[in-house]
Amino acid sequence: MSGPAQQSAPTAQRPAGPQRRVTSLDVVRGLMLVVSVSVNSLLLTPAWFDHAEWAGVNGLDLVFPVFVALTGCGLGFAMHRRTDVRGLARRVLVLVAVGLLYNAIVLASWEPATWRYTGVLQLYAGVVVVIALGHLVTRTARGWFVATVVLAAAHTAVLAAYGTTCPGGELTRECNPSGAADVAAFGAAHVYWQGAAGHDPEGLVATLGACVSAAAGATVGHLLLAARARGGPRHATGPVLAACAAFAALAWLAATVPGLIAGVDVPAMKRLWTAPFALTVTAGTGAALLAGHLLLDSTRTPTALRRAAWPLEALGRNSLLVYFGSHVVMSLLVQHADADGTTLAQRIAGAVAVGGHEQVSFTVLAVLAWTALAAVLHHRRIYLRP
């Protein structure tokens, strides 16, 4: 994820009544959260794993996009019958407000003249709006696949059209639509690095790319729901694998066609959240969801396996809290440092180190702490949502 954290939303809600959930979605989200919390706990991020400086994809670039794809799937489940527009407006306002507050805390700046308006929570709010309103138009896997194609084509067209104005048709930090559009919309002082980076990884252009990920995730979600209605997880295998293959093919087209037509290279990259990147990540995420669905959502799933997966399910049920909360906590731990520069995170790591392994011990502690919190909340059926 390109910036820190999003939402551990404010309103505690209890389900109004029993729901037949798709357990695999929560468990796969839980696995992703174990990775996310582990990554957040790194005292020093290796350069080979840290966000790619521009083009290309490193390990850290995958975490938030997987979360967004799973969010699209979850919204497909939640809105397959109705969309609460009034509730949607409240959620979006909460997400944006908490995002602005988070920016002030993480950047340690409350100065209105340089307050960052864009951010991960704000991007997430944009994704929620698009997917929720999209469910007023279509509630089928076919409709969401079409929406995925349209969004991917639109995002690629924007990049390709702008790329024709760049030297050699190459999208660079100095020449890309984010640098122009996001600064024009929000002002240089209110975007990523106050405009000095030449782009905003959570700005308008990136949000459109994130919507490609979420729409593809919604496609998978509706396919899983349709399979369940037909009789069980086994009916999802062919459709979901076909959708993942189609996403991979679309990714190839999005990377190839702009070069053939306009002479512009649109590579897989997180910084502009290009369609080749979004669709490839979601194809892999969809395959993981299918595997989890076959393992955990069958009537033949062993009770022992369900129990073993329960902690991951608990994490997945409070994914917003754990995902964004872990970013907030780690940011605060890193901000507080002694006179010699030792951060509070480093002091804790040293205190809990077993066998001299500070990083491993600190990471294990972080994962266990967030899992324990999620387990308590899940046991009490309390789920924090925007």
Side-chain angles (χ1 to χ4, degrees), residues 31-58:
L31 286 169
M32 182 276 302
L33 288 167
V34 170
V35 174
S36 178
V37 172
S38 299
V39 167
N40 292 342
S41 72
L42 291 177
L43 302 172
L44 180 64
T45 304
W48 59 266
F49 185 74
D50 205 351
H51 294 293
E53 293 186 2
W54 183 245
V57 180
N58 289 350

PDB file of all heavy atoms in Angstrom, residues 31-58:
ATOM      1  N   LEU A  31      -5.614 -13.998   6.028  1.00  0.00           N
ATOM      2  CA  LEU A  31      -4.246 -14.299   5.575  1.00  0.00           C
ATOM      3  C   LEU A  31      -3.555 -13.041   5.066  1.00  0.00           C
ATOM      4  O   LEU A  31      -2.373 -12.797   5.359  1.00  0.00           O
ATOM      5  CB  LEU A  31      -4.295 -15.354   4.469  1.00  0.00           C
ATOM      6  CG  LEU A  31      -4.593 -16.793   4.907  1.00  0.00           C
ATOM      7  CD1 LEU A  31      -4.867 -17.664   3.682  1.00  0.00           C
ATOM      8  CD2 LEU A  31      -3.435 -17.357   5.712  1.00  0.00           C
ATOM      9  N   MET A  32      -4.292 -12.235   4.287  1.00  0.00           N
ATOM     10  CA  MET A  32      -3.728 -10.985   3.787  1.00  0.00           C
ATOM     11  C   MET A  32      -3.361 -10.060   4.940  1.00  0.00           C
ATOM     12  O   MET A  32      -2.328  -9.376   4.906  1.00  0.00           O
ATOM     13  CB  MET A  32      -4.740 -10.313   2.860  1.00  0.00           C
ATOM     14  CG  MET A  32      -4.270  -9.003   2.221  1.00  0.00           C
ATOM     15  SD  MET A  32      -4.504  -7.545   3.259  1.00  0.00           S
ATOM     16  CE  MET A  32      -6.255  -7.576   3.546  1.00  0.00           C
ATOM     17  N   LEU A  33      -4.180 -10.053   6.000  1.00  0.00           N
ATOM     18  CA  LEU A  33      -3.920  -9.177   7.142  1.00  0.00           C
ATOM     19  C   LEU A  33      -2.693  -9.639   7.932  1.00  0.00           C
ATOM     20  O   LEU A  33      -1.960  -8.810   8.472  1.00  0.00           O
ATOM     21  CB  LEU A  33      -5.154  -9.128   8.043  1.00  0.00           C
ATOM     22  CG  LEU A  33      -6.326  -8.348   7.448  1.00  0.00           C
ATOM     23  CD1 LEU A  33      -7.597  -8.613   8.237  1.00  0.00           C
ATOM     24  CD2 LEU A  33      -6.026  -6.864   7.407  1.00  0.00           C
ATOM     25  N   VAL A  34      -2.468 -10.939   8.007  1.00  0.00           N
ATOM     26  CA  VAL A  34      -1.241 -11.429   8.645  1.00  0.00           C
ATOM     27  C   VAL A  34      -0.025 -10.874   7.901  1.00  0.00           C
ATOM     28  O   VAL A  34       0.944 -10.397   8.516  1.00  0.00           O
ATOM     29  CB  VAL A  34      -1.211 -12.971   8.668  1.00  0.00           C
ATOM     30  CG1 VAL A  34       0.165 -13.471   9.102  1.00  0.00           C
ATOM     31  CG2 VAL A  34      -2.288 -13.512   9.610  1.00  0.00           C
ATOM     32  N   VAL A  35      -0.086 -10.916   6.582  1.00  0.00           N
ATOM     33  CA  VAL A  35       1.002 -10.347   5.774  1.00  0.00           C
ATOM     34  C   VAL A  35       1.106  -8.848   6.012  1.00  0.00           C
ATOM     35  O   VAL A  35       2.195  -8.298   6.210  1.00  0.00           O
ATOM     36  CB  VAL A  35       0.771 -10.645   4.279  1.00  0.00           C
ATOM     37  CG1 VAL A  35       1.818  -9.927   3.425  1.00  0.00           C
ATOM     38  CG2 VAL A  35       0.811 -12.145   4.020  1.00  0.00           C
ATOM     39  N   SER A  36      -0.052  -8.153   5.999  1.00  0.00           N
ATOM     40  CA  SER A  36      -0.057  -6.705   6.159  1.00  0.00           C
ATOM     41  C   SER A  36       0.512  -6.281   7.508  1.00  0.00           C
ATOM     42  O   SER A  36       1.360  -5.374   7.583  1.00  0.00           O
ATOM     43  CB  SER A  36      -1.486  -6.174   6.008  1.00  0.00           C
ATOM     44  OG  SER A  36      -1.526  -4.782   6.214  1.00  0.00           O
ATOM     45  N   VAL A  37       0.055  -6.914   8.586  1.00  0.00           N
ATOM     46  CA  VAL A  37       0.561  -6.567   9.916  1.00  0.00           C
ATOM     47  C   VAL A  37       2.056  -6.864  10.004  1.00  0.00           C
ATOM     48  O   VAL A  37       2.821  -6.082  10.588  1.00  0.00           O
ATOM     49  CB  VAL A  37      -0.220  -7.325  11.007  1.00  0.00           C
ATOM     50  CG1 VAL A  37       0.440  -7.127  12.371  1.00  0.00           C
ATOM     51  CG2 VAL A  37      -1.665  -6.857  11.049  1.00  0.00           C
ATOM     52  N   SER A  38       2.482  -7.971   9.418  1.00  0.00           N
ATOM     53  CA  SER A  38       3.912  -8.318   9.424  1.00  0.00           C
ATOM     54  C   SER A  38       4.727  -7.256   8.700  1.00  0.00           C
ATOM     55  O   SER A  38       5.786  -6.823   9.176  1.00  0.00           O
ATOM     56  CB  SER A  38       4.125  -9.685   8.765  1.00  0.00           C
ATOM     57  OG  SER A  38       3.434 -10.704   9.469  1.00  0.00           O
ATOM     58  N   VAL A  39       4.222  -6.819   7.556  1.00  0.00           N
ATOM     59  CA  VAL A  39       4.914  -5.785   6.786  1.00  0.00           C
ATOM     60  C   VAL A  39       4.959  -4.472   7.568  1.00  0.00           C
ATOM     61  O   VAL A  39       5.977  -3.778   7.613  1.00  0.00           O
ATOM     62  CB  VAL A  39       4.221  -5.590   5.426  1.00  0.00           C
ATOM     63  CG1 VAL A  39       4.708  -4.319   4.746  1.00  0.00           C
ATOM     64  CG2 VAL A  39       4.462  -6.795   4.527  1.00  0.00           C
ATOM     65  N   ASN A  40       3.823  -4.128   8.187  1.00  0.00           N
ATOM     66  CA  ASN A  40       3.777  -2.884   8.966  1.00  0.00           C
ATOM     67  C   ASN A  40       4.772  -2.895  10.119  1.00  0.00           C
ATOM     68  O   ASN A  40       5.234  -1.835  10.553  1.00  0.00           O
ATOM     69  CB  ASN A  40       2.376  -2.670   9.533  1.00  0.00           C
ATOM     70  CG  ASN A  40       1.355  -2.365   8.456  1.00  0.00           C
ATOM     71  OD1 ASN A  40       1.703  -1.985   7.358  1.00  0.00           O
ATOM     72  ND2 ASN A  40       0.084  -2.552   8.782  1.00  0.00           N
ATOM     73  N   SER A  41       5.085  -4.086  10.643  1.00  0.00           N
ATOM     74  CA  SER A  41       5.956  -4.190  11.814  1.00  0.00           C
ATOM     75  C   SER A  41       7.439  -4.090  11.475  1.00  0.00           C
ATOM     76  O   SER A  41       8.277  -4.083  12.381  1.00  0.00           O
ATOM     77  CB  SER A  41       5.704  -5.518  12.531  1.00  0.00           C
ATOM     78  OG  SER A  41       6.223  -6.610  11.786  1.00  0.00           O
ATOM     79  N   LEU A  42       7.763  -4.013  10.197  1.00  0.00           N
ATOM     80  CA  LEU A  42       9.179  -3.968   9.808  1.00  0.00           C
ATOM     81  C   LEU A  42       9.841  -2.709  10.356  1.00  0.00           C
ATOM     82  O   LEU A  42       9.383  -1.590  10.116  1.00  0.00           O
ATOM     83  CB  LEU A  42       9.316  -4.005   8.290  1.00  0.00           C
ATOM     84  CG  LEU A  42       8.933  -5.320   7.598  1.00  0.00           C
ATOM     85  CD1 LEU A  42       9.060  -5.177   6.091  1.00  0.00           C
ATOM     86  CD2 LEU A  42       9.792  -6.476   8.108  1.00  0.00           C
ATOM     87  N   LEU A  43      10.919  -2.895  11.086  1.00  0.00           N
ATOM     88  CA  LEU A  43      11.681  -1.758  11.600  1.00  0.00           C
ATOM     89  C   LEU A  43      12.498  -1.111  10.493  1.00  0.00           C
ATOM     90  O   LEU A  43      12.790   0.082  10.538  1.00  0.00           O
ATOM     91  CB  LEU A  43      12.605  -2.225  12.733  1.00  0.00           C
ATOM     92  CG  LEU A  43      11.894  -2.900  13.916  1.00  0.00           C
ATOM     93  CD1 LEU A  43      12.919  -3.497  14.868  1.00  0.00           C
ATOM     94  CD2 LEU A  43      10.974  -1.925  14.633  1.00  0.00           C
ATOM     95  N   LEU A  44      12.858  -1.907   9.508  1.00  0.00           N
ATOM     96  CA  LEU A  44      13.584  -1.414   8.341  1.00  0.00           C
ATOM     97  C   LEU A  44      13.123  -2.209   7.134  1.00  0.00           C
ATOM     98  O   LEU A  44      13.230  -3.440   7.129  1.00  0.00           O
ATOM     99  CB  LEU A  44      15.099  -1.569   8.531  1.00  0.00           C
ATOM    100  CG  LEU A  44      15.980  -1.084   7.373  1.00  0.00           C
ATOM    101  CD1 LEU A  44      15.823   0.422   7.182  1.00  0.00           C
ATOM    102  CD2 LEU A  44      17.439  -1.445   7.613  1.00  0.00           C
ATOM    103  N   THR A  45      12.581  -1.534   6.143  1.00  0.00           N
ATOM    104  CA  THR A  45      12.062  -2.216   4.958  1.00  0.00           C
ATOM    105  C   THR A  45      13.165  -2.353   3.913  1.00  0.00           C
ATOM    106  O   THR A  45      13.725  -1.341   3.486  1.00  0.00           O
ATOM    107  CB  THR A  45      10.886  -1.436   4.338  1.00  0.00           C
ATOM    108  OG1 THR A  45       9.883  -1.237   5.325  1.00  0.00           O
ATOM    109  CG2 THR A  45      10.294  -2.198   3.161  1.00  0.00           C
ATOM    110  N   PRO A  46      13.501  -3.580   3.481  1.00  0.00           N
ATOM    111  CA  PRO A  46      14.549  -3.761   2.463  1.00  0.00           C
ATOM    112  C   PRO A  46      14.159  -3.059   1.159  1.00  0.00           C
ATOM    113  O   PRO A  46      12.982  -3.035   0.784  1.00  0.00           O
ATOM    114  CB  PRO A  46      14.601  -5.277   2.271  1.00  0.00           C
ATOM    115  CG  PRO A  46      13.944  -5.860   3.480  1.00  0.00           C
ATOM    116  CD  PRO A  46      12.922  -4.863   3.921  1.00  0.00           C
ATOM    117  N   ALA A  47      15.127  -2.493   0.484  1.00  0.00           N
ATOM    118  CA  ALA A  47      14.853  -1.756  -0.751  1.00  0.00           C
ATOM    119  C   ALA A  47      14.184  -2.632  -1.801  1.00  0.00           C
ATOM    120  O   ALA A  47      13.304  -2.176  -2.534  1.00  0.00           O
ATOM    121  CB  ALA A  47      16.153  -1.168  -1.298  1.00  0.00           C
ATOM    122  N   TRP A  48      14.565  -3.918  -1.858  1.00  0.00           N
ATOM    123  CA  TRP A  48      14.002  -4.811  -2.876  1.00  0.00           C
ATOM    124  C   TRP A  48      12.538  -5.121  -2.617  1.00  0.00           C
ATOM    125  O   TRP A  48      11.814  -5.559  -3.516  1.00  0.00           O
ATOM    126  CB  TRP A  48      14.799  -6.113  -2.950  1.00  0.00           C
ATOM    127  CG  TRP A  48      14.843  -6.876  -1.650  1.00  0.00           C
ATOM    128  CD1 TRP A  48      15.820  -6.803  -0.697  1.00  0.00           C
ATOM    129  CD2 TRP A  48      13.880  -7.809  -1.149  1.00  0.00           C
ATOM    130  NE1 TRP A  48      15.537  -7.629   0.361  1.00  0.00           N
ATOM    131  CE2 TRP A  48      14.338  -8.266   0.110  1.00  0.00           C
ATOM    132  CE3 TRP A  48      12.677  -8.312  -1.639  1.00  0.00           C
ATOM    133  CZ2 TRP A  48      13.628  -9.181   0.883  1.00  0.00           C
ATOM    134  CZ3 TRP A  48      11.967  -9.233  -0.873  1.00  0.00           C
ATOM    135  CH2 TRP A  48      12.443  -9.657   0.362  1.00  0.00           C
ATOM    136  N   PHE A  49      12.077  -4.897  -1.367  1.00  0.00           N
ATOM    137  CA  PHE A  49      10.699  -5.195  -1.010  1.00  0.00           C
ATOM    138  C   PHE A  49       9.836  -3.941  -0.932  1.00  0.00           C
ATOM    139  O   PHE A  49       8.623  -3.993  -1.097  1.00  0.00           O
ATOM    140  CB  PHE A  49      10.677  -5.916   0.344  1.00  0.00           C
ATOM    141  CG  PHE A  49       9.319  -6.377   0.778  1.00  0.00           C
ATOM    142  CD1 PHE A  49       8.714  -7.472   0.172  1.00  0.00           C
ATOM    143  CD2 PHE A  49       8.624  -5.712   1.785  1.00  0.00           C
ATOM    144  CE1 PHE A  49       7.457  -7.899   0.559  1.00  0.00           C
ATOM    145  CE2 PHE A  49       7.375  -6.135   2.190  1.00  0.00           C
ATOM    146  CZ  PHE A  49       6.786  -7.230   1.576  1.00  0.00           C
ATOM    147  N   ASP A  50      10.453  -2.810  -0.705  1.00  0.00           N
ATOM    148  CA  ASP A  50       9.737  -1.542  -0.543  1.00  0.00           C
ATOM    149  C   ASP A  50       9.041  -1.155  -1.850  1.00  0.00           C
ATOM    150  O   ASP A  50       9.307  -1.733  -2.904  1.00  0.00           O
ATOM    151  CB  ASP A  50      10.716  -0.446  -0.131  1.00  0.00           C
ATOM    152  CG  ASP A  50      10.037   0.677   0.627  1.00  0.00           C
ATOM    153  OD1 ASP A  50       8.794   0.690   0.689  1.00  0.00           O
ATOM    154  OD2 ASP A  50      10.765   1.528   1.183  1.00  0.00           O
ATOM    155  N   HIS A  51       8.142  -0.177  -1.768  1.00  0.00           N
ATOM    156  CA  HIS A  51       7.425   0.264  -2.961  1.00  0.00           C
ATOM    157  C   HIS A  51       8.398   0.592  -4.094  1.00  0.00           C
ATOM    158  O   HIS A  51       9.433   1.230  -3.876  1.00  0.00           O
ATOM    159  CB  HIS A  51       6.603   1.523  -2.663  1.00  0.00           C
ATOM    160  CG  HIS A  51       5.479   1.297  -1.701  1.00  0.00           C
ATOM    161  ND1 HIS A  51       4.392   0.508  -2.006  1.00  0.00           N
ATOM    162  CD2 HIS A  51       5.273   1.752  -0.437  1.00  0.00           C
ATOM    163  CE1 HIS A  51       3.557   0.499  -0.972  1.00  0.00           C
ATOM    164  NE2 HIS A  51       4.064   1.231  -0.014  1.00  0.00           N
ATOM    165  N   ALA A  52       8.053   0.153  -5.300  1.00  0.00           N
ATOM    166  CA  ALA A  52       8.861   0.506  -6.471  1.00  0.00           C
ATOM    167  C   ALA A  52       8.872   2.014  -6.626  1.00  0.00           C
ATOM    168  O   ALA A  52       7.848   2.683  -6.430  1.00  0.00           O
ATOM    169  CB  ALA A  52       8.281  -0.151  -7.721  1.00  0.00           C
ATOM    170  N   GLU A  53      10.011   2.567  -6.960  1.00  0.00           N
ATOM    171  CA  GLU A  53      10.119   4.019  -7.053  1.00  0.00           C
ATOM    172  C   GLU A  53       9.235   4.587  -8.157  1.00  0.00           C
ATOM    173  O   GLU A  53       8.704   5.682  -8.044  1.00  0.00           O
ATOM    174  CB  GLU A  53      11.577   4.431  -7.282  1.00  0.00           C
ATOM    175  CG  GLU A  53      12.476   4.134  -6.078  1.00  0.00           C
ATOM    176  CD  GLU A  53      13.874   4.682  -6.261  1.00  0.00           C
ATOM    177  OE1 GLU A  53      14.132   5.334  -7.310  1.00  0.00           O
ATOM    178  OE2 GLU A  53      14.705   4.478  -5.362  1.00  0.00           O
ATOM    179  N   TRP A  54       9.055   3.845  -9.223  1.00  0.00           N
ATOM    180  CA  TRP A  54       8.166   4.298 -10.296  1.00  0.00           C
ATOM    181  C   TRP A  54       7.566   3.083 -10.996  1.00  0.00           C
ATOM    182  O   TRP A  54       6.657   2.459 -10.487  1.00  0.00           O
ATOM    183  CB  TRP A  54       8.904   5.229 -11.266  1.00  0.00           C
ATOM    184  CG  TRP A  54       7.996   5.766 -12.337  1.00  0.00           C
ATOM    185  CD1 TRP A  54       8.069   5.519 -13.678  1.00  0.00           C
ATOM    186  CD2 TRP A  54       6.859   6.620 -12.157  1.00  0.00           C
ATOM    187  NE1 TRP A  54       7.049   6.145 -14.349  1.00  0.00           N
ATOM    188  CE2 TRP A  54       6.287   6.839 -13.445  1.00  0.00           C
ATOM    189  CE3 TRP A  54       6.248   7.208 -11.064  1.00  0.00           C
ATOM    190  CZ2 TRP A  54       5.152   7.626 -13.653  1.00  0.00           C
ATOM    191  CZ3 TRP A  54       5.113   8.007 -11.261  1.00  0.00           C
ATOM    192  CH2 TRP A  54       4.586   8.200 -12.529  1.00  0.00           C
ATOM    193  N   ALA A  55       8.078   2.734 -12.154  1.00  0.00           N
ATOM    194  CA  ALA A  55       7.553   1.568 -12.869  1.00  0.00           C
ATOM    195  C   ALA A  55       8.014   0.289 -12.184  1.00  0.00           C
ATOM    196  O   ALA A  55       8.985   0.267 -11.432  1.00  0.00           O
ATOM    197  CB  ALA A  55       8.008   1.599 -14.328  1.00  0.00           C
ATOM    198  N   GLY A  56       7.273  -0.792 -12.451  1.00  0.00           N
ATOM    199  CA  GLY A  56       7.603  -2.064 -11.843  1.00  0.00           C
ATOM    200  C   GLY A  56       6.791  -2.308 -10.579  1.00  0.00           C
ATOM    201  O   GLY A  56       6.047  -1.442 -10.116  1.00  0.00           O
ATOM    202  N   VAL A  57       6.958  -3.495 -10.027  1.00  0.00           N
ATOM    203  CA  VAL A  57       6.184  -3.906  -8.859  1.00  0.00           C
ATOM    204  C   VAL A  57       7.097  -4.625  -7.880  1.00  0.00           C
ATOM    205  O   VAL A  57       7.770  -5.593  -8.245  1.00  0.00           O
ATOM    206  CB  VAL A  57       5.018  -4.849  -9.264  1.00  0.00           C
ATOM    207  CG1 VAL A  57       4.233  -5.272  -8.030  1.00  0.00           C
ATOM    208  CG2 VAL A  57       4.107  -4.185 -10.288  1.00  0.00           C
ATOM    209  N   ASN A  58       7.134  -4.154  -6.640  1.00  0.00           N
ATOM    210  CA  ASN A  58       7.832  -4.844  -5.556  1.00  0.00           C
ATOM    211  C   ASN A  58       6.811  -5.468  -4.604  1.00  0.00           C
ATOM    212  O   ASN A  58       5.606  -5.215  -4.720  1.00  0.00           O
ATOM    213  CB  ASN A  58       8.742  -3.873  -4.801  1.00  0.00           C
ATOM    214  CG  ASN A  58       9.955  -3.457  -5.607  1.00  0.00           C
ATOM    215  OD1 ASN A  58      10.234  -4.035  -6.671  1.00  0.00           O
ATOM    216  ND2 ASN A  58      10.678  -2.459  -5.152  1.00  0.00           N
TER     217      ASN A  58
END
